[in-house]
Amino acid sequence: MGIVNTEIKPFQATAFKQGEFVEITEADVKGKWAVFFFYPADFTFVCPTELGDVADKYEELQKMGVEVFSVSTDTHFTHKAWHDTSDTIGKINYFMVGDQTGTITNNFGVMREGQGLADRATFLIDPQGVIQAVEITAEGIGRDADDLLRKIKAAQYVAAHPGEVCPAKWKEGEATLAPSLDLVGKI
């Protein structure tokens, strides 16, 4: 996808976070690792299972220096109402961003044409504001926070160890590769 290795575009939005409405912009993303977790709509079916899964990993993500921004085209008021009425959503402590204008969703290229809803998409952003990973799934396919954690750890490792790459299924502490002419054709 052509968006990997590009910088996030400017935006301004209101989010619901820990009982408050807060204003956020792209400047709030830079300087730390971030996950933008797009989903179609509040009060639906697969979405709360995914958001709850990420909520269960939020403390670990915070320890890794990662902030989470869930985004739908619902308003921040709707996010609060959902947070207040659902046990699953009620455990969320990360930003629930209202993107009713579609600016952020369009910036990331995941607006469903003619529907006003976001695709089910995840973006990993590095501290410079550059997109390092993208995952987009079909409507009925939920994402897995454990795999997201694995990808974040790999991205953070690669960023901290220039010249090394993480092979398929890499897990923290496992061997990496150092691409070189000597390695060509030997894997």
Side-chain angles (χ1 to χ4, degrees), residues 12-185:
Q12 182 178 348
T14 304
F16 177 73
K17 185 174 195 278
Q18 298 178 324
E20 297 182 8
F21 294 132
V22 294
E23 297 300 315
I24 61 168
T25 70
E26 74 284 352
D28 296 306
V29 178
K30 294 185 179 177
K32 63 185 128 255
W33 288 87
V35 169
F36 275 72
F37 200 81
F38 290 87
Y39 63 98
D42 291 3
F43 296 99
T44 56
F45 315 102
V46 175
C47 301
T49 66
E50 295 180 309
L51 294 169
D53 189 29
V54 172
D56 291 340
K57 303 294 182 186
Y58 186 59
E59 187 176 324
E60 185 175 352
L61 288 162
Q62 290 281 272
K63 287 177 185 173
M64 295 168 57
V66 179
E67 187 53 74
V68 176
F69 300 85
S70 66
V71 184
S72 79
T73 55
D74 295 292
T75 67
H76 53 288
F77 299 113
T78 306
H79 294 330
K80 181 192 182 312
W82 196 24
H83 191 274
D84 291 349
T85 58
S86 166
D87 290 340
T88 299
I89 301 306
K91 63 185 176 180
I92 292 174
N93 289 317
Y94 51 78
F95 291 91
M96 297 180 74
V97 182
D99 187 31
Q100 65 271 18
T101 66
T103 300
I104 303 168
T105 307
N106 281 309
N107 282 355
F108 282 87
V110 293
M111 179 68 80
R112 293 180 185 173
E113 190 171 332
Q115 294 184 30
L117 301 173
D119 280 326
R120 198 172 301 290
T122 308
F123 294 83
L124 174 58
I125 317 298
D126 71 17
Q128 291 72 45
V130 176
I131 298 168
Q132 294 298 315
V134 178
E135 177 185 17
I136 301 174
T137 65
E139 177 64 28
I141 302 170
R143 294 162 283 181
D144 182 340
D146 285 327
D147 193 48
L148 175 60
L149 281 168
R150 184 191 67 76
K151 290 175 188 174
I152 293 168
K153 289 175 183 178
Q156 289 180 336
Y157 183 91
V158 169
H161 299 88
E164 293 183 47
V165 296
C166 297
K169 298 183 183 183
W170 180 85
K171 301 245 186 329
E172 189 173 32
E174 293 181 350
T176 59
L177 300 171
S180 70
L181 185 60
D182 294 338
L183 204 56
V184 174

